[in-house]
Structures are given as structure tokens and as C-alpha cells.
Amino acid sequence: MISSYPVPVQRTSERKRIIFVSGTRADFGKLKPLIAKVNDSGEFEYQIFVTGMHMLARYGSTVNEVIKAGFTNIFPFINQDSSVSSQMDMALANTIIGLGHYVREFQPDLIVVHGDRVETLAGAIVGALNNILVAHVEGGEVSGTVDELIRHSVSKLSHMHFVANEVARRRLIQMGELPERVYVIGSPDIDIMLSEELPTLAEVQARYDTEFSQYAILLYHPVTIELHTIRQNANHVLDAALESGLNFVVLYPNNDTGSEVILEVYERLRGNPRFRVLPSMRFEFFLTLLKNSTAIIGNSSAGIREAPVYGVPTVNIGSRQINRFHYPSIVNVQDSKPAILAALSELPNSIVPSTHFGTGESAKRFMEHLHSLSFWETCPQKQFREHPENQYTILG
């Protein structure tokens, strides 16, 4: 249960006010190091607007994980229920309404959003329409579904960009973003990944009742532009997993359109001792599970972003992560049982851990920018930076 709700009040100090928006277990894992650093500094007033999958019992009510992280300034908002969880446009509209009301009370100076979810887009829209600065974490990335459209839309609505690497920075500049407002800080979750505070594997197994000595992780999300083949593709993935002979820890998909179909397919696993199906996991526990796994299979960004940091093999299935990071640990295959089985039988080994997305100092770099006076002097009226090759002169 949530012990208390923050009540927005009139300003009592000159401290800048920041709202962090989180809609999923994944984006909270990315934002958590940044929130912790802001909280520890005592220099800013902050709130966490918690919504989306966090508020759904079906996905483990992960708002409680936000609370257990030690943060107190939490405002929970239900933007959907099980009857509309897969209707992304309704979830977007509801979040805009709820967050819009909230910012007019809390009166923030900055809204921080992450990634490419509809709650992220809602945060950027509310900020833009209320003349509030918006900072987008991990813009400039590419993927193979509606996520990419959302991510780039958020970037165009945002004023500052905290990106993972120079590749992402160049993409944003190519999109017309001002170079002086694109900051390379690395991926914030790597701060947690490389810390010495992760739980042990024994603690993870005890908490989530997973006693496999060897296992792989299965994390498969719907591809919103391939709704007509979701059931077929999900069955191919499950057929391969079943025939592989491996043990699996299976996590629920996100709640995009089509998730219901995948969950129906997962009913085939009921009672199978080789599969432990979980709605969600605390982020730190998931990282320990990933670090000690044989492989991760499916189409989650965790296989592209986090697994290479540990040198864990990824069997990346289908088009959802198309055009994203390529690394020797990542094997890309089609949605077919033979292709998935072949990849599982010949997993890469002795992979050098990747540092492409950072080295674990993101929160420190984030705070350095918050301490800059010029950061807060950014005008909420954005300007498009014309590429020199496209500049033209209007003749009078």
C-alpha cells in the first residue's frame, strides 16, 4: 500500500522543481540512479509521477518497487485498467490529462522522461504545452516498431537530451536538435549494473522461487505493426523453447497492443517445471538473473542494451529491435522455430563485455548538468538547427 500522497504546495524555497515520469519497470530502472542522485543532493525538490504498468496488479503492481527503493515523493496515477491496457491511444490521452492537472499544481521547472513509451510521450507533450522544460533520457536510438516513432516524437518535444553515446548524439543533431543541448552521459542503468550492490543469485532464487542451476531468460513483447502474426510468432518462440530442453525464467510482455495474445500463448506453460513465469521483477534482481543466465531470448531491448554489458548471449527474434546495436553476443533470427533452435544450440561464448552504452557514471554526469546555470536558462521555445547543406536564403 502507498503510505502517503504528496500534496503539491506553493513554493517555499528557490530550489528547482523536477518531475520524473515512470510508466514501466524498465524505465524506472533507467531513471532510478538519476532520481537517487537528485534525492541525495538535497538541492532540488522532486516528485515521481508513477503510472502505466506500475499501477496494474496483473503486472505485479510495481509502484510498490518504486516505494521500496526508498523514495517518498511519489504520486501514483492510474492511466488504464485491464480493459484498456492494450489501447495505447487511450493510455496516452489519460496520462496527458492526469499529468497535466498535476504539473499545474506542482509547478515544476523540469520534466524528466525516458525512452519510448506512451507515458514518456505524454510527459513531453504536457511539458511542451505548459512551457515547462523537458529532458529526454536515451533519445537518438533506433528500433523496429512504433517505439521508434514515439522516441523521435519525444525528442522533438524535448529541450534537453541525455543520450547514451556519440552515435545517439549525432542522430539527434541530424534531426535538428541543438548540439549544445545534447549531453552524452551513458545509459543510467549501467550505474546499477556495474555497482557492488546487486543481490546475490541465491537471494534472487529465494525471492522468486527459481532454483534452476542453469537457465535462460525469455522476454517477448508484441510487435504492434505485426498484429496479424503475433499468435503464430509467439507459438514459434514457445515451440523452440520447449524443444530446446533448457530451463527458462519467463517474464510477462509489456502491455502494448497484442500483449493479451502472448499471455494466452503462455498458458501452454502452466504446470511445466522447466518454466518459471513471472509478471515482473525488481530491476536489481532482474540484473542479477541476467548476469548469471545462459542466454536471453525474445525481442526485448534488454537483450540489446543490458545483456552485452555482461557478455551474456542474446537470441534476438524478429523485427522489433531491427537496426539497433550489433555485437558479437547478439544473434539475430527470424520468428521461426528452426532458426531459434539453431541459435540456441550454437550460442556465442567468451564475449568481451560491451561499453558502448556507458561505463557507470551517468548519474554523476546528469547532476553536473543540473548544476549548470545555462541548463536552467534554456528557452522553452525550441529552435530547429538547420543543417549547413540545407540552408537557403529568402529573396525579398
mmCIF file of all heavy atoms in Angstrom, residues 16 18 37-38 41-44 162 363-376:
data_model
loop_
_atom_site.group_PDB
_atom_site.id
_atom_site.type_symbol
_atom_site.label_atom_id
_atom_site.label_comp_id
_atom_site.label_asym_id
_atom_site.label_seq_id
_atom_site.Cartn_x
_atom_site.Cartn_y
_atom_site.Cartn_z
ATOM 1 N N LYS A 16 14.939 24.398 -7.555
ATOM 2 C CA LYS A 16 14.271 23.979 -8.771
ATOM 3 C C LYS A 16 13.441 22.733 -8.500
ATOM 4 O O LYS A 16 13.804 21.877 -7.693
ATOM 5 C CB LYS A 16 15.293 23.692 -9.871
ATOM 6 C CG LYS A 16 16.111 24.897 -10.306
ATOM 7 C CD LYS A 16 15.239 25.962 -10.952
ATOM 8 C CE LYS A 16 16.094 27.104 -11.494
ATOM 9 N NZ LYS A 16 15.256 28.172 -12.098
ATOM 10 N N ILE A 18 11.571 19.309 -10.003
ATOM 11 C CA ILE A 18 11.731 18.322 -11.077
ATOM 12 C C ILE A 18 10.687 17.221 -10.906
ATOM 13 O O ILE A 18 10.475 16.725 -9.800
ATOM 14 C CB ILE A 18 13.136 17.687 -11.049
ATOM 15 C CG1 ILE A 18 14.229 18.760 -11.131
ATOM 16 C CG2 ILE A 18 13.295 16.668 -12.174
ATOM 17 C CD1 ILE A 18 15.642 18.228 -10.921
ATOM 18 N N LYS A 37 20.288 10.260 -7.152
ATOM 19 C CA LYS A 37 21.312 11.306 -7.056
ATOM 20 C C LYS A 37 20.667 12.649 -6.717
ATOM 21 O O LYS A 37 21.198 13.420 -5.902
ATOM 22 C CB LYS A 37 22.067 11.402 -8.379
ATOM 23 C CG LYS A 37 23.486 11.914 -8.256
ATOM 24 C CD LYS A 37 24.392 10.867 -7.656
ATOM 25 C CE LYS A 37 25.865 11.245 -7.764
ATOM 26 N NZ LYS A 37 26.739 10.264 -7.116
ATOM 27 N N VAL A 38 19.536 12.942 -7.335
ATOM 28 C CA VAL A 38 18.810 14.181 -7.036
ATOM 29 C C VAL A 38 18.338 14.168 -5.588
ATOM 30 O O VAL A 38 18.453 15.164 -4.860
ATOM 31 C CB VAL A 38 17.615 14.342 -8.005
ATOM 32 C CG1 VAL A 38 16.677 15.445 -7.528
ATOM 33 C CG2 VAL A 38 18.120 14.652 -9.412
ATOM 34 N N SER A 41 21.196 14.695 -3.107
ATOM 35 C CA SER A 41 21.814 16.028 -3.131
ATOM 36 C C SER A 41 21.094 17.010 -2.219
ATOM 37 O O SER A 41 21.716 17.923 -1.663
ATOM 38 C CB SER A 41 21.832 16.587 -4.557
ATOM 39 O OG SER A 41 20.542 17.040 -4.945
ATOM 40 N N GLY A 42 19.788 16.859 -2.092
ATOM 41 C CA GLY A 42 19.018 17.794 -1.289
ATOM 42 C C GLY A 42 18.909 19.179 -1.889
ATOM 43 O O GLY A 42 18.411 20.115 -1.248
ATOM 44 N N GLU A 43 19.349 19.332 -3.134
ATOM 45 C CA GLU A 43 19.384 20.658 -3.761
ATOM 46 C C GLU A 43 18.147 20.963 -4.587
ATOM 47 O O GLU A 43 17.955 22.099 -5.029
ATOM 48 C CB GLU A 43 20.620 20.759 -4.648
ATOM 49 C CG GLU A 43 21.932 20.572 -3.910
ATOM 50 C CD GLU A 43 23.106 20.480 -4.871
ATOM 51 O OE1 GLU A 43 23.323 21.470 -5.611
ATOM 52 O OE2 GLU A 43 23.786 19.437 -4.898
ATOM 53 N N PHE A 44 17.320 19.959 -4.829
ATOM 54 C CA PHE A 44 16.152 20.137 -5.683
ATOM 55 C C PHE A 44 14.917 19.560 -4.991
ATOM 56 O O PHE A 44 15.017 18.657 -4.159
ATOM 57 C CB PHE A 44 16.341 19.417 -7.025
ATOM 58 C CG PHE A 44 17.576 19.840 -7.774
ATOM 59 C CD1 PHE A 44 18.784 19.166 -7.604
ATOM 60 C CD2 PHE A 44 17.529 20.911 -8.638
ATOM 61 C CE1 PHE A 44 19.915 19.550 -8.276
ATOM 62 C CE2 PHE A 44 18.668 21.311 -9.329
ATOM 63 C CZ PHE A 44 19.868 20.636 -9.144
ATOM 64 N N PHE A 162 19.648 13.662 -22.755
ATOM 65 C CA PHE A 162 20.713 12.919 -22.080
ATOM 66 C C PHE A 162 20.850 11.577 -22.791
ATOM 67 O O PHE A 162 20.016 10.677 -22.590
ATOM 68 C CB PHE A 162 20.377 12.727 -20.601
ATOM 69 C CG PHE A 162 20.391 14.006 -19.818
ATOM 70 C CD1 PHE A 162 19.210 14.668 -19.519
ATOM 71 C CD2 PHE A 162 21.583 14.561 -19.388
ATOM 72 C CE1 PHE A 162 19.213 15.857 -18.803
ATOM 73 C CE2 PHE A 162 21.604 15.748 -18.672
ATOM 74 C CZ PHE A 162 20.417 16.399 -18.378
ATOM 75 N N ALA A 363 24.718 9.044 -13.598
ATOM 76 C CA ALA A 363 24.069 9.915 -12.618
ATOM 77 C C ALA A 363 24.966 11.095 -12.253
ATOM 78 O O ALA A 363 24.502 12.233 -12.097
ATOM 79 C CB ALA A 363 23.695 9.116 -11.378
ATOM 80 N N LYS A 364 26.251 10.839 -12.118
ATOM 81 C CA LYS A 364 27.206 11.910 -11.821
ATOM 82 C C LYS A 364 27.207 12.957 -12.930
ATOM 83 O O LYS A 364 27.167 14.176 -12.657
ATOM 84 C CB LYS A 364 28.605 11.311 -11.654
ATOM 85 C CG LYS A 364 29.704 12.331 -11.450
ATOM 86 C CD LYS A 364 31.079 11.656 -11.398
ATOM 87 C CE LYS A 364 32.195 12.691 -11.321
ATOM 88 N NZ LYS A 364 33.543 12.043 -11.331
ATOM 89 N N ARG A 365 27.234 12.509 -14.171
ATOM 90 C CA ARG A 365 27.234 13.444 -15.308
ATOM 91 C C ARG A 365 25.908 14.186 -15.406
ATOM 92 O O ARG A 365 25.867 15.375 -15.761
ATOM 93 C CB ARG A 365 27.527 12.680 -16.593
ATOM 94 C CG ARG A 365 28.940 12.108 -16.643
ATOM 95 C CD ARG A 365 29.125 11.131 -17.777
ATOM 96 N NE ARG A 365 30.469 10.563 -17.777
ATOM 97 C CZ ARG A 365 30.820 9.482 -18.447
ATOM 98 N NH1 ARG A 365 29.923 8.838 -19.181
ATOM 99 N NH2 ARG A 365 32.066 9.043 -18.389
ATOM 100 N N PHE A 366 24.819 13.504 -15.110
ATOM 101 C CA PHE A 366 23.495 14.120 -15.102
ATOM 102 C C PHE A 366 23.473 15.293 -14.120
ATOM 103 O O PHE A 366 23.024 16.401 -14.451
ATOM 104 C CB PHE A 366 22.469 13.053 -14.708
ATOM 105 C CG PHE A 366 21.053 13.550 -14.563
ATOM 106 C CD1 PHE A 366 20.289 13.856 -15.673
ATOM 107 C CD2 PHE A 366 20.472 13.668 -13.303
ATOM 108 C CE1 PHE A 366 18.973 14.284 -15.544
ATOM 109 C CE2 PHE A 366 19.165 14.096 -13.162
ATOM 110 C CZ PHE A 366 18.411 14.406 -14.286
ATOM 111 N N MET A 367 23.991 15.079 -12.921
ATOM 112 C CA MET A 367 23.986 16.121 -11.905
ATOM 113 C C MET A 367 24.872 17.294 -12.294
ATOM 114 O O MET A 367 24.564 18.452 -11.972
ATOM 115 C CB MET A 367 24.444 15.547 -10.562
ATOM 116 C CG MET A 367 23.447 14.604 -9.922
ATOM 117 S SD MET A 367 21.842 15.382 -9.573
ATOM 118 C CE MET A 367 22.304 16.577 -8.318
ATOM 119 N N GLU A 368 25.959 17.036 -12.979
ATOM 120 C CA GLU A 368 26.830 18.118 -13.419
ATOM 121 C C GLU A 368 26.068 19.107 -14.296
ATOM 122 O O GLU A 368 26.266 20.328 -14.199
ATOM 123 C CB GLU A 368 28.038 17.550 -14.175
ATOM 124 C CG GLU A 368 29.043 16.835 -13.262
ATOM 125 C CD GLU A 368 30.132 16.108 -14.048
ATOM 126 O OE1 GLU A 368 30.030 16.072 -15.307
ATOM 127 O OE2 GLU A 368 31.068 15.573 -13.418
ATOM 128 N N HIS A 369 25.169 18.592 -15.138
ATOM 129 C CA HIS A 369 24.376 19.472 -16.000
ATOM 130 C C HIS A 369 23.293 20.193 -15.205
ATOM 131 O O HIS A 369 22.999 21.369 -15.465
ATOM 132 C CB HIS A 369 23.783 18.679 -17.151
ATOM 133 C CG HIS A 369 24.800 18.188 -18.131
ATOM 134 N ND1 HIS A 369 25.513 19.025 -18.952
ATOM 135 C CD2 HIS A 369 25.256 16.928 -18.398
ATOM 136 C CE1 HIS A 369 26.360 18.314 -19.687
ATOM 137 N NE2 HIS A 369 26.212 17.044 -19.374
ATOM 138 N N LEU A 370 22.690 19.521 -14.225
ATOM 139 C CA LEU A 370 21.686 20.182 -13.391
ATOM 140 C C LEU A 370 22.292 21.339 -12.599
ATOM 141 O O LEU A 370 21.599 22.298 -12.254
ATOM 142 C CB LEU A 370 21.050 19.181 -12.421
ATOM 143 C CG LEU A 370 20.151 18.081 -12.994
ATOM 144 C CD1 LEU A 370 19.403 17.382 -11.872
ATOM 145 C CD2 LEU A 370 19.166 18.612 -14.027
ATOM 146 N N HIS A 371 23.583 21.258 -12.315
ATOM 147 C CA HIS A 371 24.262 22.307 -11.562
ATOM 148 C C HIS A 371 24.674 23.493 -12.443
ATOM 149 O O HIS A 371 25.159 24.501 -11.923
ATOM 150 C CB HIS A 371 25.509 21.745 -10.878
ATOM 151 C CG HIS A 371 25.187 20.871 -9.712
ATOM 152 N ND1 HIS A 371 25.908 19.742 -9.399
ATOM 153 C CD2 HIS A 371 24.215 20.954 -8.782
ATOM 154 C CE1 HIS A 371 25.389 19.173 -8.325
ATOM 155 N NE2 HIS A 371 24.359 19.888 -7.937
ATOM 156 N N SER A 372 24.481 23.360 -13.736
ATOM 157 C CA SER A 372 24.883 24.420 -14.654
ATOM 158 C C SER A 372 23.774 25.476 -14.782
ATOM 159 O O SER A 372 22.611 25.147 -15.027
ATOM 160 C CB SER A 372 25.188 23.826 -16.040
ATOM 161 O OG SER A 372 25.315 24.838 -17.011
ATOM 162 N N LEU A 373 24.132 26.724 -14.614
ATOM 163 C CA LEU A 373 23.161 27.809 -14.738
ATOM 164 C C LEU A 373 22.573 27.861 -16.144
ATOM 165 O O LEU A 373 21.373 28.091 -16.328
ATOM 166 C CB LEU A 373 23.824 29.145 -14.393
ATOM 167 C CG LEU A 373 22.921 30.379 -14.469
ATOM 168 C CD1 LEU A 373 21.769 30.267 -13.488
ATOM 169 C CD2 LEU A 373 23.752 31.643 -14.193
ATOM 170 N N SER A 374 23.394 27.633 -17.159
ATOM 171 C CA SER A 374 22.912 27.704 -18.543
ATOM 172 C C SER A 374 21.863 26.637 -18.825
ATOM 173 O O SER A 374 20.982 26.834 -19.668
ATOM 174 C CB SER A 374 24.087 27.555 -19.517
ATOM 175 O OG SER A 374 24.690 26.271 -19.405
ATOM 176 N N PHE A 375 21.933 25.520 -18.122
ATOM 177 C CA PHE A 375 20.938 24.460 -18.293
ATOM 178 C C PHE A 375 19.544 25.007 -18.002
ATOM 179 O O PHE A 375 18.599 24.784 -18.756
ATOM 180 C CB PHE A 375 21.266 23.295 -17.349
ATOM 181 C CG PHE A 375 20.318 22.124 -17.435
ATOM 182 C CD1 PHE A 375 20.575 21.065 -18.293
ATOM 183 C CD2 PHE A 375 19.173 22.070 -16.651
ATOM 184 C CE1 PHE A 375 19.704 19.987 -18.368
ATOM 185 C CE2 PHE A 375 18.297 21.001 -16.719
ATOM 186 C CZ PHE A 375 18.569 19.951 -17.581
ATOM 187 N N TRP A 376 19.412 25.737 -16.892
ATOM 188 C CA TRP A 376 18.103 26.240 -16.473
ATOM 189 C C TRP A 376 17.685 27.498 -17.228
ATOM 190 O O TRP A 376 16.522 27.915 -17.145
ATOM 191 C CB TRP A 376 18.121 26.503 -14.970
ATOM 192 C CG TRP A 376 18.367 25.244 -14.188
ATOM 193 C CD1 TRP A 376 19.524 24.852 -13.581
ATOM 194 C CD2 TRP A 376 17.434 24.195 -13.965
ATOM 195 N NE1 TRP A 376 19.369 23.627 -12.993
ATOM 196 C CE2 TRP A 376 18.098 23.181 -13.204
ATOM 197 C CE3 TRP A 376 16.097 23.988 -14.324
ATOM 198 C CZ2 TRP A 376 17.465 22.009 -12.812
ATOM 199 C CZ3 TRP A 376 15.470 22.823 -13.931
ATOM 200 C CH2 TRP A 376 16.151 21.838 -13.173
#
